[in-house]
Amino acid sequence: MSRPELVAPPEIYYGDTEAKKYTKNTRNQQIQADMTYRALELLSLPPDEPAFLLDIGCGSGLSGEILDEEGYMWAGVDVAPSMLEVALEREVEGDLFLQDIGQGFGFRPGSFDGAISISVLQWLLNAETSHATSSPPHRLTRFFTTLHSALKNPSRAVFQFYPSSDDQITLISTIAQRAGFTGGLVIDYPNSNKAKKVFLCLMVGGGGHVPKGL
Amino acid sequence: MVRLMTHNLLACHAKGCTTNNFPLALKDVQIELRESDFNPDFLKGFLPKLDWPALVLAARQLGDETLPLQQPEMLDDEFLKNLHHVLLEIHIEEGSMTCPNCAHVYPISNGIPNMLLAEHEIG
Ligand SMILES: [Zn+2]
């Protein structure tokens, strides 16, 4: 089976049927939940302080439900209307936006205390049209630059994603650094094909070590 | 759903639109009120992020006159409860947000603002 991001752009791939199927699949729910908890751990927010988070590619709200349970306020963006509709049906608490992250954000400086993103970054690596501004480097640059500005200093953004090559990792890391982020990869269970998970842990305002993988 | 909490953080992100691009002007809005848990610590932490004049303007436009024009220094319970209501309990369900600079219209439908730009508007 091909990776979804190679089949079609996300707003097409996750049509009504696929959005419902993805959300109802209990295995997806469990994996998504585990990765959300791990992303929150890697965010290492100050304990006992309320936080306002951005869920990048919030989809149908599987991560959002966990943010709700954990007592975080959040806003979520996603490019697939069908996924957002499912999120509305599931009555998540966050504010939802229909947005293509490759076009960049308009959030004012310092809006968010942190950001998480589960299984989304790989979608930015595929060009959607032949137009010059749609190339992956352009899209990644707009995304990371405007995200960096939308985050408060200091804070973190943690992305779980599925890179398909080292070149992709280099491209993403280089552009994130150029946008002002520090940080790096956290790889959990690197020796297990099944359990291996890749997280990009980015920091605003320097400082802090990249956490160790499990 | 979009609330004044996020409306207050949102500027226009169209190509070249970097000045006078905030706040986005609310038009033809339909609102719904939904109760939410009062969390004074969250509100106190959120205050520094707010553009106060823009918040008061938006709240009054939606018919809520409880916030003072000047942000008070004393954060008493009554003020925080009013702020809680304005930021978190007023949901904009339908309408639009227009950029004061480039006039791009971001429509809001079923509580979700459409932030997508056309090809020529992408920076
Ligand atoms: Zn504008």
Side-chain angles (χ1 to χ4, degrees):
Chain A
M1 213 176 74
S2 288
R3 286 166 167 248
E5 66 272 22
L6 300 178
V7 176
E11 68 276 24
I12 310 289
Y13 184 83
Y14 291 113
D16 288 345
T17 320
E18 202 60 37
K20 289 210 166 74
K21 221 165 79 185
Y22 181 88
T23 311
K24 276 194 190 141
N25 182 314
T26 46
R27 189 167 164 269
N28 279 345
Q29 287 179 7
Q30 189 54 50
I31 296 174
Q32 182 98 5
D34 291 346
M35 295 191 298
T36 304
Y37 284 118
R38 178 65 172 140
L40 282 173
E41 188 176 61
L42 293 171
L43 265 191
S44 61
L45 292 159
D48 307 319
E49 257 178 50
F52 184 56
L53 304 180
L54 178 62
D55 184 352
I56 300 164
C58 61
S60 54
L62 289 176
S63 303
E65 280 182 349
I66 290 169
L67 298 180
D68 288 339
E69 276 167 28
E70 296 290 308
Y72 294 111
M73 298 287 197
W74 58 279
V77 299
D78 205 282
V79 74
S82 300
M83 288 292 235
L84 291 173
E85 233 158 83
V86 179
L88 282 182
E89 283 168 22
R90 293 163 68 86
E91 298 186 329
V92 292
E93 303 276 335
D95 286 9
L96 306 171
F97 294 87
L98 178 64
Q99 188 149 21
D100 176 356
I101 56 173
Q103 296 183 345
F105 296 111
F107 293 113
R108 293 196 291 118
S111 290
F112 296 97
D113 304 311
I116 63 160
S117 174
I118 307 297
S119 308
V120 170
L121 215 44
Q122 68 271 8
W123 290 97
L124 274 183
L125 295 163
N126 297 286
E128 301 205 352
T129 67
S130 54
H131 199 279
T133 58
S134 298
S135 74
H138 276 93
R139 290 170 59 74
L140 285 163
T141 300
R142 280 190 297 266
F143 169 62
F144 281 124
T145 310
T146 55
L147 174 65
H148 186 272
S149 137
L151 289 165
K152 83 162 188 206
N153 183 356
S155 68
R156 289 184 182 185
V158 175
F159 304 81
Q160 177 277 327
F161 73 119
Y162 296 105
S164 56
S165 70
D166 287 347
D167 285 353
Q168 288 191 343
I169 294 175
T170 309
L171 179 69
I172 287 176
S173 310
T174 310
I175 294 176
Q177 272 170 27
R178 229 180 277 148
F181 286 104
T182 56
L185 285 187
V186 177
I187 302 178
D188 286 349
Y189 313 113
N191 300 319
S192 158
N193 273 338
K194 258 187 160 172
K196 180 177 168 181
K197 289 285 174 294
V198 180
F199 292 85
L200 178 65
C201 186
L202 296 179
M203 296 162 194
V204 177
H209 300 285
V210 179
K212 284 214 167 22
L214 300 174
Chain B
M1 10 183 254
V2 61
R3 293 171 284 188
L4 292 187
M5 166 173 71
T6 43
H7 170 263
N8 197 269
L9 299 176
L10 210 54
C12 179
H13 67 302
K15 182 179 188 174
C17 193
T18 50
T19 52
N20 187 33
N21 60 348
F22 172 88
L24 302 176
L26 295 167
K27 266 207 194 103
D28 305 322
V29 292
Q30 290 173 33
I31 58 167
E32 239 176 60
L33 302 181
R34 260 175 261 160
E35 260 180 56
S36 79
D37 295 337
F38 179 57
N39 183 341
D41 288 339
F42 172 78
L43 296 169
K44 285 176 196 160
F46 204 80
L47 264 176
K49 293 178 183 172
L50 289 170
D51 181 295
W52 192 257
L55 181 67
V56 175
L57 181 78
R60 294 193 174 193
Q61 213 186 328
L62 301 186
D64 190 299
E65 313 245 328
T66 57
L67 296 182
L69 282 173
Q70 295 285 329
Q71 188 180 319
E73 286 181 17
M74 275 291 291
L75 307 178
D76 60 27
D77 230 35
E78 193 198 340
F79 166 73
L80 288 173
K81 286 211 162 118
N82 290 335
L83 181 63
H84 167 75
H85 179 72
V86 166
L87 286 180
L88 296 167
E89 296 190 324
I90 304 176
H91 295 257
I92 303 169
E93 294 293 324
E94 303 290 331
S96 66
M97 303 183 289
T98 305
C99 171
N101 183 43
C102 75
H104 179 98
V105 178
Y106 299 96
I108 303 172
S109 165
N110 201 13
I112 298 178
N114 181 340
M115 306 306 289
L116 299 175
L117 301 172
E119 197 72 59
H120 68 278
E121 295 172 307
I122 303 172

